[in-house]
Amino acid sequence: MLRRLPGVLPSDPAFLSKHGVDQMVGDVNIFLSKVYDSDSDSDADPDAPPTTPPRTRCEVELMIAVPSTRRRGFGRAALEVFLPYAAAALDLPASAFFCRIGLANEPSLNLFEKVGFRRVKVVEAFGEVEMGFEGDKWTWEPAFEVLEVEPEAR
């Protein structure tokens, strides 16, 4: 398990080397999609354009590729830095984030539950569990401060 060193935040560029790792251990990504909520009017024309604006959903993927670095806390550290940053940069609530994890991947299911995701549904055809973040705020303090930057004048 990754022991948090005093004064060493996951956003520190030397975070991995200070924990005895000298290589990239994996990656974390998000994939954005637009979702239109269906109209509640059952008589609505199915070919008519949507009457409400789409909302953005962000699928999170996390991979810790190096076996010797799994189950040491690097995945959690990556999520705790990346998710609040992505939400702030995209101006989205935490509830916009979801993930899909293999049914048999208990370590990943447990990890995402520890950071606030809850099991939403099982997709048997793909052998996956879909998990969504519960609430609009992260359950931990972000490891960085998001600063607003003025756009450059052209």
Side-chain angles (χ1 to χ4, degrees), residues 1-82:
M1 180 57 80
L2 182 64
R3 183 174 51 88
R4 300 233 179 205
L5 299 175
V8 182
L9 296 174
S11 56
D12 183 334
F15 181 77
L16 290 176
S17 64
K18 289 179 180 180
H19 285 90
V21 176
D22 63 355
Q23 62 186 343
M24 184 175 128
V25 299
D27 59 36
V28 60
N29 303 289
I30 59 171
F31 300 92
L32 305 174
S33 60
K34 296 287 186 186
V35 177
Y36 290 90
D37 293 322
S38 60
D39 290 334
S40 59
D41 182 4
S42 61
D43 294 330
D45 178 0
D47 296 324
T51 58
T52 58
R55 60 187 169 88
T56 302
R57 291 191 74 206
C58 302
E59 183 174 359
V60 180
E61 285 190 355
L62 171 70
M63 177 192 61
I64 303 298
V66 180
S68 65
T69 61
R70 292 181 186 151
R71 313 247 8 217
R72 290 184 51 197
F74 292 116
R76 184 171 185 160
L79 291 174
E80 288 181 356
V81 170
F82 186 72

Side-chain angles (χ1 to χ4, degrees), residues 84-89 142 144-149:
Y85 171 80
F144 65 92
E145 180 180 355
V146 177
L147 302 175
E148 291 194 29
V149 179

Side-chain angles (χ1 to χ4, degrees), residues 97-99 109-121 129-135 139:
F97 291 79
F98 73 101
C99 63
L109 293 167
N110 292 333
L111 167 62
F112 276 84
E113 285 179 336
K114 285 177 186 172
V115 297
F117 285 74
R118 297 294 169 253
R119 297 174 194 218
V120 176
K121 66 181 175 182
V129 175
E130 183 171 309
M131 301 177 79
F133 192 82
E134 197 169 75
T139 55

